[in-house]
Amino acid sequence: MMRFYSLISSLILSVFLLFISGSGSLRTLKHLTVRRGGSLAVPCSYEEEYKSHCKYWCKGEHWISCDIVAYANSSSTGISVTDYPSQNMFIVNLKNLQDSDSGWYWCAVEIDGAADVRDYVYLTVSSDPAVWVENGRVIGQEGGGVSVQGFYSSEYKNGEKKWCKFKDRRCYPVGKTKTSQSSGVNIIDYSRGSFRVEMIGLQESDAGWYWFSAGLVGVTVHLTVTERPTTTTAAVTTVPTTQKTTTTAVTSASGKSEKPEAPTNPPDEETTTCGFGKPMESVEFCIAQN
């Protein structure tokens, strides 16, 4: 009989933990830290089926009473939430963070007629953060390399250090890791409160969000990988000196001849609109339901 009650208690506890932390349908990081007055980006990934759903950022220790701070593709003072459906991810950008901004937050996806999908993260803002990096955004070239310089407090001197890619949760420990024939990751822990992450032989697939963690506390870094420039030989054509060169022109409504404007490239990222363009009663309903 005791074993039966123990089994029931374990089952109830498992269901409760699943309820408060959401499911694998949406994931974020668990404990992030940032220096006072600094900025931080929080990545939140979701399943393919939620591409067109409303995403939002909520503040509060308890999900049932958290306050919605911003919807996707909208912004408030120091906060913006941008949805990238092509990557199944939305990013929460936080600026000019102060000690009062420390606390529990939730990445969430609105589900009509059912409980919203969500996952929580704890944010610590202080003058001397547990972990921080010199630059939260780095750029490298295909075939080249990048390095990230960071620091951690003395209490994490003996904590496990890892460099992880957010998309697939692949992590690299301190030391050298060969990822392919020509690329690899090297993490150097100087054991004096500083570390360096070196990535060589970059490939396009290496681009994305990463985080460095010491113990259970981490900080995010975004890596952009640009194409390697190609060297081309331009064909040279000799033009007789008597021949004039001409440029294509268009005639404006006023009759003046004008050079055509260079085309502008479309945005690289595809986004969805959430909150804006919806009837006000729909937005109010969204808030009331949460």
Side-chain angles (χ1 to χ4, degrees), residues 237-249 259:
T237 303
T238 303
V239 181
T241 56
T242 56
Q243 182 177 339
K244 295 182 179 180
T245 58
T246 59
T247 57
T248 304
K259 291 183 180 180

Side-chain angles (χ1 to χ4, degrees), residues 26 58 70 73 85 113 194 265:
L26 190 148
C58 204
N73 304 324
S194 66
N265 294 324

Side-chain angles (χ1 to χ4, degrees), residues 182-203:
S182 59
S183 63
V185 177
N186 183 28
I187 302 177
I188 306 169
D189 181 6
Y190 296 107
S191 299
R192 297 187 302 274
S194 66
F195 67 91
R196 179 183 291 274
V197 177
E198 299 172 343
M199 298 182 69
I200 61 172
L202 291 173
Q203 302 174 14

Side-chain angles (χ1 to χ4, degrees), residues 101-269:
D101 293 314
S102 297
W104 295 94
Y105 292 85
W106 300 79
C107 295
V109 175
E110 187 180 64
I111 308 298
D112 292 335
D116 291 354
V117 175
R118 70 273 185 188
D119 196 12
Y120 65 89
V121 56
Y122 190 83
L123 174 62
T124 300
V125 183
S126 68
S127 59
D128 185 23
V131 183
W132 63 282
V133 291
E134 288 186 341
N135 192 350
R137 292 179 181 272
V138 291
I139 301 176
Q141 191 178 97
E142 279 185 309
V146 293
S147 65
V148 178
Q149 182 70 45
F151 307 88
Y152 56 85
S153 60
S154 58
E155 62 184 299
Y156 292 100
K157 178 180 179 180
N158 298 320
E160 182 182 17
K161 318 296 192 308
K162 293 187 298 183
W163 173 252
C164 304
K165 189 170 185 181
F166 180 73
K167 187 174 182 179
D168 56 17
R169 302 294 171 121
R170 184 175 69 250
C171 293
Y172 304 98
V174 171
K176 293 184 178 180
T177 303
K178 193 171 184 179
T179 56
S180 71
Q181 187 174 0
S182 59
S183 63
V185 177
N186 183 28
I187 302 177
I188 306 169
D189 181 6
Y190 296 107
S191 299
R192 297 187 302 274
S194 66
F195 67 91
R196 179 183 291 274
V197 177
E198 299 172 343
M199 298 182 69
I200 61 172
L202 291 173
Q203 302 174 14
E204 184 181 357
S205 58
D206 291 322
W209 287 96
Y210 291 79
W211 84 91
F212 178 85
S213 62
L216 299 177
V217 184
V219 62
T220 57
V221 177
H222 186 267
L223 168 63
T224 299
V225 179
T226 60
E227 292 183 1
R228 180 185 302 176
T230 56
T231 304
T232 58
T233 303
V236 179
T237 303
T238 303
V239 181
T241 56
T242 56
Q243 182 177 339
K244 295 182 179 180
T245 58
T246 59
T247 57
T248 304
V250 294
T251 304
S252 66
S254 62
K256 295 181 180 180
S257 180
E258 300 176 348
K259 291 183 180 180
E261 295 182 359
T264 56
N265 294 324
D268 292 333
E269 296 296 348

